Amino acid sequence: MSTIDLDEIIKALAHPVRRDILNWLKDPATQFPDQEHSTDYGVCCGQIDQRCGLSQSTVSAHLATLHRAGLIRSQKVGQWHFYKRNEDTIQAFLDTLGKEL
């Protein structure tokens, strides 16, 4: 189990768009059926942009916040950036929260 920054994660989860993104990434094949690439790498940033309906820069800021908190991982493949949930960190957060509250 990795060390987590509980406060950083709570701040990241405070925004509904970021919670939506995490929820969508839970089942990427269903939530992003139009993605041309395999979801093995995660979901392409462009797909998340489209789903959010916000500007690319706003979505990028939300993804950066989730990434800093350790809730998602990113991988660049060719010219595309893919994102997927970091299940280890999410579970560690849930465990820690359960112990502290």
Side-chain angles (χ1 to χ4, degrees):
M1 180 161 63
S2 60
T3 303
I4 61 166
D5 184 336
L6 192 59
D7 293 331
E8 189 73 25
I9 292 173
I10 290 170
K11 288 177 192 174
L13 294 174
H15 198 286
V17 169
R18 294 192 285 264
R19 292 192 307 270
D20 285 344
I21 292 169
L22 282 175
N23 189 38
W24 299 334
L25 293 177
K26 196 185 270 188
D27 185 10
T30 301
Q31 297 295 325
F32 299 95
D34 296 336
Q35 178 164 297
E36 294 176 16
H37 306 284
S38 166
T39 57
D40 291 344
Y41 294 120
V43 175
C44 184
C45 184
Q47 292 288 310
I48 299 170
D49 290 346
Q50 288 178 357
R51 181 81 190 259
C52 285
L54 301 170
S55 72
Q56 184 272 330
S57 61
T58 299
V59 175
S60 289
H62 285 308
L63 291 169
T65 298
L66 290 168
H67 190 264
R68 271 192 312 276
L71 295 169
I72 61 173
R73 294 182 174 149
S74 66
Q75 181 174 1
K76 185 174 182 182
V77 179
Q79 64 186 10
W80 296 282
H81 289 271
F82 292 88
Y83 294 89
K84 64 184 345 181
R85 288 166 50 109
N86 183 343
E87 297 297 342
D88 291 339
T89 297
I90 292 169
Q91 190 59 56
F93 166 72
L94 294 172
D95 293 345
T96 301
L97 199 59
K99 289 175 188 169
E100 292 197 13
L101 292 181

